[in-house]
Amino acid sequence: MLTWLACKDAGFEVHAFVLCYDLSQGPWVSNIEGIHFHWVPIPCAWLTRWLQKKRLLGLAKPLWLLWQMKMLWRLWRARVTPDIVYCMRPTFAVLGCLWAKSLGAKVVLRQYGTWLYHVWFEQKHWLPRMSTFGELLAHRLPIDLFIMTDDGTRGDRVARWLGFPMDKYRFWLNGIEAKVPDANYDKRALRAELRWGAAPILLAVGRLASWKRTDLAFKALWRVLPEFPDARLVVVGAGRMTESLRQLARDLNVEDSVDFAGSVPQASIWKYLLACDVVISPYDVSNVSSVMLEAMSLGCCIVTRDVGGTADLLCHGDTAIVLSPGEAEDIAAGVIDLLNRPDERARMGRAAQDHARRHVWSWELRMAAELNCLRALLGDDRHRGNTGAQQGCFVPSRQAA
């Protein structure tokens, strides 16, 4: 959505083709001036939903051809002639390339991190590799611009491994909010608002999925409590692992020291980050998350694991505690050390904040860089000056269920 709005504001006429489970889901975003939404009902939606609930969505791969045919029919009916076809994720990259090339348009592929490095170089099991065909194929398509999020999943190494032309490749961190709350904020007032009191607060933020390894934070808390009996773990986020994590808390007998905050509006996350004592980021994959970047920009003290590209962004002992291998006992030891040294927590937070200021774009700068690339693709001074209405057609993979 952020890209659509930025392109609209830059003078593009934006058409978004979106797969959805039910056409009744569409109107919540259909009234944005300058963005034309084309809703495409998912074929066999009931089957896809059932597989999703059973955590068997990988078995929906045979439906890929049906999705392509449905999207092709909607593209044909729309009668749109784009200057740029922007494919959000590889799902429709082949169709997007064919459509763009048939009309003489440029094609952009946007990917929000990748599992390829983890599956092919770290996990090394053939069954997960079989599901990566679409991503592998996307790197071999005649893409004019490939934008990959640098979320710690080493997309740049994957691109070089697969021989994608690096002059057409952009490997960018997500942006952070440019407006940071006043440095003189009242931490006690924030903690009172969140009803935390004076206890040491460990914070884990993110969707509760197996690969985000929130379980390590629970196991670390179990080891921290003998040293700091009043410490609390606050878990911000929701997901499929919620009930299993609640059960883990009961099994470890730490349920009275854990607060499940659930989903929190993005605009309020900063309060949790600023009010806590230590942020724990224990992901297996995509550890350089937006939460990590926001925590750095706010001067938080971070304990994390040396997985993927984490150590490319954070320096152990300087801007964060970066643990290898980063198991629960390692995380607990790092947390205990930091809770015993408040001055070191403050110093490390300042170092992380300074690093973020120097190396991480605001969202405004991040989107400006992308718009400059899109204008360069058009190669026309008229477009560079934002005169006229260029047509950008976005083909996302599907609407969130």
Side-chain angles (χ1 to χ4, degrees):
M1 181 66 75
L2 185 62
T3 305
W4 303 350
L5 294 173
C7 288
K8 174 185 74 74
D9 293 340
F12 283 85
E13 178 184 327
V14 177
H15 291 259
F17 293 81
V18 188
L19 274 180
C20 61
Y21 285 104
D22 188 340
L23 289 179
S24 64
Q25 296 175 349
W28 69 281
V29 289
S30 294
N31 58 352
I32 301 176
E33 184 179 356
I35 299 181
H36 307 274
F37 287 92
H38 306 267
W39 298 97
V40 185
I42 292 179
C44 302
W46 64 271
L47 177 58
T48 304
R49 273 198 179 279
W50 184 83
L51 291 171
Q52 186 179 42
K53 289 179 181 179
K54 298 296 183 180
R55 304 184 187 182
L56 298 171
L57 198 55
L59 298 179
K61 297 293 183 182
L63 298 175
W64 180 86
L65 185 58
L66 287 177
W67 292 3
Q68 306 301 310
M69 294 172 63
K70 192 76 174 182
M71 183 64 74
L72 179 61
W73 171 250
R74 192 66 186 87
L75 293 173
W76 180 81
R77 286 184 59 199
R79 305 293 187 183
V80 178
T81 306
D83 298 292
I84 295 175
V85 175
Y86 193 119
C87 302
M88 304 182 79
R89 300 183 177 89
T91 308
F92 292 101
V94 173
L95 180 61
C97 275
L98 292 173
W99 188 39
K101 299 307 178 183
S102 70
L103 298 172
K106 301 296 184 180
V107 60
V108 177
L109 176 58
R110 176 82 167 91
Q111 194 166 337
Y112 302 86
T114 177
W115 285 83
L116 289 176
Y117 189 89
H118 178 67
V119 170
W120 284 88
F121 293 94
E122 295 176 339
Q123 198 174 50
K124 297 184 179 180
H125 296 302
W126 277 101
L127 188 59
R129 290 178 177 181
M130 293 173 64
S131 67
T132 63
F133 174 75
E135 279 196 67
L136 293 170
L137 178 60
H139 285 78
R140 305 299 297 177
L141 295 174
I143 304 293
D144 295 297
L145 176 65
F146 196 142
I147 303 174
M148 173 70 78
T149 299
D150 177 5
D151 64 346
T153 51
R154 300 194 184 280
D156 56 336
R157 298 191 184 187
V158 169
R160 291 188 179 93
W161 172 56
L162 293 172
F164 189 86
M166 297 308 291
D167 60 322
K168 299 180 179 180
Y169 195 83
R170 300 294 180 271
F171 188 57
W172 290 333
L173 292 166
N174 277 331
I176 55 177
E177 295 296 333
K179 186 178 180 180
V180 176
D182 190 339
N184 297 318
Y185 70 94
D186 188 338
K187 185 171 183 175
R188 285 183 297 180
L190 280 179
R191 293 174 73 101
E193 179 183 343
L194 296 170
R195 300 181 180 179
W196 285 354
I201 299 295
L202 316 180
L203 181 67
V205 182
R207 181 161 53 90
L208 301 184
S210 59
W211 51 273
K212 297 208 172 185
R213 295 307 308 274
T214 311
D215 62 297
L216 291 176
F218 284 73
K219 295 171 183 176
L221 175 67
W222 181 76
R223 291 169 169 83
V224 169
L225 287 173
E227 298 288 333
F228 293 90
D230 58 342
R232 302 195 65 79
L233 172 65
V234 177
V235 180
V236 174
R240 294 174 177 172
M241 297 296 294
T242 300
E243 288 308 315
S244 62
L245 289 173
R246 289 185 184 276
Q247 183 59 51
L248 177 62
R250 290 189 287 268
D251 293 343
L252 294 172
N253 198 27
V254 299
E255 66 269 30
D256 292 337
S257 299
V258 176
D259 295 326
F260 285 88
S263 296
V264 172
Q266 185 64 36
S268 299
I269 293 293
W270 68 269
K271 295 180 181 180
Y272 289 80
L273 292 170
L274 283 177
C276 75
D277 294 293
V278 178
V279 175
I280 300 177
S281 182
Y283 298 7
D284 270 344
V285 184
S286 72
N287 202 29
V288 184
S289 63
S290 293
V291 172
M292 174 88 78
L293 300 178
E294 294 290 348
M296 292 175 63
S297 74
L298 293 172
C300 297
C301 183
I302 301 168
V303 175
T304 188
R305 303 169 68 209
D306 184 8
V307 296
T310 305
D312 297 337
L313 179 68
L314 295 169
C315 179
H316 176 62
D318 181 21
T319 54
I321 299 298
V322 184
L323 300 165
S324 181
E327 298 304 325
E329 55 269 25
D330 305 312
I331 295 172
V335 168
I336 291 170
D337 180 58
L338 290 170
L339 291 180
N340 279 317
R341 296 195 295 160
D343 290 343
E344 177 63 7
R345 291 204 311 271
R347 183 207 64 77
M348 194 171 289
R350 289 192 299 269
Q353 187 175 49
D354 181 63
H355 189 77
R357 285 172 176 165
R358 289 183 287 112
H359 298 284
V360 183
W361 281 335
S362 68
W363 270 118
E364 288 79 3
L365 290 175
R366 163 65 183 79
M367 293 312 304
E370 183 166 338
L371 288 170
N372 284 337
C373 287
L374 297 181
R375 295 184 187 115
L377 281 182
L378 298 173
D380 188 318
D381 291 338
R382 175 174 59 85
H383 294 298
R384 293 174 187 271
N386 286 331
T387 60
Q390 313 100 43
Q391 287 193 346
C393 289
F394 292 77
V395 185
S397 59
R398 62 177 180 273
Q399 183 187 5

